[in-house]
Amino acid sequence: MAEETTRGKGEELRGAEKVFGYFRDQVLSGALSPGDRLPSERELSLTLGVGRPLLREVMRSLNMLGVLDIRHGKGAFIARANFGMLSDFFTFYLAQEQSALDDVMQARIAIECQAIRLACERATDADISRIETCFTQLTETVDDPELGGRSDYEFHIAIVEASHSQTLITLYHAISNMLLKSHVERRRTTANAPEIIESHIDSHRQVFLAIVEGDGDLAHQRLREHFAIGDELRRRSIIAAHTKGSASTYSTDKYK
């Protein structure tokens, strides 16, 4: 009985993989594009050689993931990419890994360093204006970790989107939840330190000006320096906080 149950589950898994593989391959080959209506359940069931209950279950799951768009009474359609859904999936997956945030930061650096080179070549006037607006918002929210962190995030995502590379943009959006969390946490860590805030703003300004100049090498160099400055400022802030805490504890204990 247990063997039959195991065999049944294995067949269901293979059937589900076949259905998923079909949609993936159809989209990759260009046979199906976002907005295209799918064949009926009966046709798909016959084409794939799977039962309609299993097909319906897999399609329902793909609908929840944003891959398909099932409209009652109208049929099923290939959906357009849902960045929010993709980001939620990656956040859930990466949150289970202990070193996830460090890995995400390394991925962020890799994406942004390539994106900024492309932005220097491809950025439109609208892109430059958007980055400038984000920079202005960044300078106006330096005293608010929550708003400041979001402004910081918006500045960097504006650079990535100015690259007009759909792959880089998609990958960046996929890790956006964790990036936003990182920006806010870093702002909280470096709050109430004027010298850190000043360096932080100037670093962003230099990155922005390099993009305006359209110099990919210079922009890449300044972005790398920006990341290095951010890491150093965060390190110094953590040390200062712990040093202050230790001094306060010592002072209190001394008079006990």
Side-chain angles (χ1 to χ4, degrees), residues 56-77:
R56 194 174 297 118
E57 183 179 344
V58 175
M59 290 180 65
R60 190 180 298 117
S61 297
L62 292 175
N63 178 69
M64 293 177 65
L65 289 172
V67 176
L68 298 181
D69 177 14
I70 299 177
R71 307 171 193 172
H72 296 293
K74 295 183 178 181
F77 301 78

Side-chain angles (χ1 to χ4, degrees), residues 2 12 22 34 38 54 59 61 90 96 99-100 113 118 127 129 136 156 167 223 225 234 237 239 244 251-252:
E12 285 186 7
Y22 167 80
L38 300 178
L54 175 62
M59 290 180 65
S61 297
F90 267 81
Q96 301 175 49
S99 60
C113 283
L118 294 175
D127 292 324
S129 178
T136 300
H156 286 274
T167 298
L223 184 61
E225 291 171 353
R234 180 172 177 271
S237 180
I239 292 175
K244 182 178 179 180
S251 177
T252 303

Side-chain angles (χ1 to χ4, degrees), residues 4 14 33 88 131 133 147 182 210 221 227 242-243 249 253:
E4 291 180 1
R14 286 190 293 273
S33 302
D88 288 342
I131 297 172
T133 297
L147 292 178
S182 173
Q221 176 186 335
F227 286 132
H242 281 279
T243 301
T249 300
D253 290 344

Side-chain angles (χ1 to χ4, degrees), residues 26-82:
Q26 290 292 298
V27 171
L28 285 174
S29 68
L32 288 175
S33 302
D36 286 350
R37 189 177 187 277
L38 300 178
S40 67
E41 282 187 6
R42 180 176 179 278
E43 293 177 83
L44 286 173
S45 178
L46 291 172
T47 298
L48 299 174
V50 298
R52 292 177 68 174
L54 175 62
L55 174 65
R56 194 174 297 118
E57 183 179 344
V58 175
M59 290 180 65
R60 190 180 298 117
S61 297
L62 292 175
N63 178 69
M64 293 177 65
L65 289 172
V67 176
L68 298 181
D69 177 14
I70 299 177
R71 307 171 193 172
H72 296 293
K74 295 183 178 181
F77 301 78
I78 296 294
R80 294 193 176 278
N82 185 329

Side-chain angles (χ1 to χ4, degrees), residues 78-153:
I78 296 294
R80 294 193 176 278
N82 185 329
F83 287 139
M85 186 67 70
L86 189 60
S87 180
D88 288 342
F89 173 79
F90 267 81
T91 300
F92 180 77
Y93 171 74
L94 292 171
Q96 301 175 49
E97 303 296 325
Q98 291 185 344
S99 60
L101 195 53
D102 287 338
D103 287 344
V104 167
M105 291 305 296
Q106 292 305 313
R108 171 201 174 190
I109 291 173
I111 293 171
E112 285 195 42
C113 283
Q114 178 60 20
I116 200 168
R117 286 185 179 277
L118 294 175
C120 287
E121 300 173 6
R122 304 175 179 178
T124 64
D125 290 343
D127 292 324
I128 296 296
S129 178
R130 178 188 173 192
I131 297 172
E132 183 177 22
T133 297
C134 291
F135 174 70
T136 300
Q137 292 175 341
L138 189 151
T139 63
E140 294 173 348
T141 56
V142 291
D143 296 324
D144 188 320
E146 190 71 34
L147 292 178
R150 180 169 289 278
S151 296
D152 203 333
Y153 164 78

Side-chain angles (χ1 to χ4, degrees), residues 127-237:
D127 292 324
I128 296 296
S129 178
R130 178 188 173 192
I131 297 172
E132 183 177 22
T133 297
C134 291
F135 174 70
T136 300
Q137 292 175 341
L138 189 151
T139 63
E140 294 173 348
T141 56
V142 291
D143 296 324
D144 188 320
E146 190 71 34
L147 292 178
R150 180 169 289 278
S151 296
D152 203 333
Y153 164 78
E154 293 292 345
F155 175 85
H156 286 274
I157 203 167
I159 293 175
V160 175
E161 294 188 347
S163 72
H164 294 277
S165 167
Q166 195 56 54
T167 298
L168 293 180
I169 293 170
T170 299
L171 290 172
Y172 203 80
H173 274 282
I175 57 177
S176 62
N177 283 339
M178 298 193 77
L179 291 182
L180 179 57
K181 176 183 177 182
S182 173
H183 280 297
V184 173
E185 288 183 350
R186 282 179 177 239
R187 283 303 189 92
R188 286 175 179 154
T189 302
T190 58
N192 303 317
E195 71 284 0
I196 291 179
I197 292 175
E198 184 178 347
S199 297
H200 182 72
I201 292 176
D202 185 62
S203 178
H204 282 86
R205 180 183 293 109
Q206 295 307 315
V207 169
F208 168 62
L209 292 176
I211 296 173
V212 174
E213 292 176 28
D215 189 328
D217 289 337
L218 179 61
H220 177 268
Q221 176 186 335
R222 287 183 175 173
L223 184 61
R224 283 284 184 181
E225 291 171 353
H226 169 71
F227 286 132
I229 289 172
D231 287 340
E232 176 62 18
L233 293 177
R234 180 172 177 271
R235 186 185 67 82
R236 284 166 48 190
S237 180

